[in-house]
Amino acid sequence: MELFDTATVLTRVLTSGVVMSIEKSDRELPGLERLLQKATGRSKAVLLNSRTGAIHAALAGQGIGHGDSVALPDVDAETSAFLAWLGVTVTSYDGPAAYDHIALDPTNADRLGALAAGATAPALVVDLTGLGFGPAAAVLTDDPKLWARAERLKIFGAYDLRTMWTQEEADADLVPGVQFNYRLSPLVAACARMALTQAARPAATSGAKQS
């Protein structure tokens, strides 16, 4: 990643005066959401501050929680431990999967669209941590109810951004049992967006043209 590009993004965010994800005037988070939606072909995106947060949101969005079982392929030890902490049991994989998972890094970020094309689960978890700007992830889906539940999980559970200061409940049926703060910062979102945008650009050629 070019240091000049990174410095430009950091300057833009820090001088905007918007460094928290609850600010209505923030443009970095919506920008990353739109980029991921376009790249994956999904209509809804939820941004979170960790891979485990995204896994939690993908499951909670489907009403999966403590005492439930899910089918998942190739679950690593870290994910297994987190699911056990949530009280979710992983069964032998015979489909359909509860969610699909893509871990992005500089070597495959340009192929996000192709990787997402093979995902068939209701939720797609995209881990952005490997891009190098800190823990970050997203849940992509076409299910409005899944999106709404996942979105609520990351904002202290009981209140959405419109009402968290007034403590007025907007949708009581979406309230999860435990509150979490899984919100992604605009600064990390801006850097991840920069990395994905650069990865999608055609590689520049150098040297003289051959006649």
Side-chain angles (χ1 to χ4, degrees):
M1 195 65 61
E2 295 291 338
L3 293 179
F4 175 79
D5 293 334
T6 304
T8 300
V9 169
L10 294 177
T11 300
R12 183 184 75 227
V13 177
L14 294 176
T15 57
S16 72
V18 180
V19 294
M20 296 180 64
S21 60
I22 59 174
E23 300 289 346
K24 293 182 179 180
S25 57
D26 168 59
R27 296 187 297 176
E28 306 300 341
L29 295 167
L32 179 57
E33 288 174 351
R34 289 191 297 269
L35 187 154
L36 290 171
Q37 288 166 1
K38 182 177 180 180
T40 63
R42 269 60 170 188
S43 60
K44 300 287 187 180
V46 180
L47 301 178
L48 302 106
N49 60 13
S50 67
R51 180 180 72 95
T52 50
I55 291 173
H56 191 180
L59 296 176
Q62 300 174 70
I64 299 171
H66 191 277
D68 293 326
S69 299
V70 295
L72 291 171
D74 304 323
V75 179
D76 58 26
E78 183 180 87
T79 302
S80 294
F82 179 67
L83 293 175
W85 181 79
L86 291 177
V88 176
T89 302
V90 179
T91 62
S92 57
Y93 178 65
D94 55 5
Y99 64 84
D100 289 308
H101 177 266
I102 297 173
L104 292 183
D105 59 41
T107 68
N108 68 356
D110 61 327
R111 296 188 289 111
L112 174 56
L115 294 171
T120 59
L124 172 61
V125 173
V126 178
D127 186 3
L128 304 169
T129 307
L131 297 177
F133 298 101
V139 176
L140 286 303
T141 184
D142 287 319
D143 184 337
K145 193 72 170 182
L146 190 159
W147 170 83
R149 286 175 172 166
E151 190 72 20
R152 290 295 297 273
L153 181 72
K154 75 177 187 182
I155 311 170
F156 299 109
Y159 307 102
D160 59 26
L161 291 181
R162 295 187 302 275
T163 60
M164 67 179 297
W165 298 120
T166 62
Q167 303 292 285
E168 296 175 358
E169 183 50 58
D171 293 292
D173 61 329
L174 295 180
V175 179
V178 180
Q179 299 183 15
F180 293 87
N181 181 9
Y182 284 143
R183 294 173 298 151
L184 184 65
S185 78
L187 191 59
V188 175
C191 292
R193 179 184 175 192
M194 173 192 66
L196 291 172
T197 300
Q198 291 185 341
R201 294 173 183 167
T205 57
S206 60
K209 294 183 178 179
Q210 298 294 324
S211 58

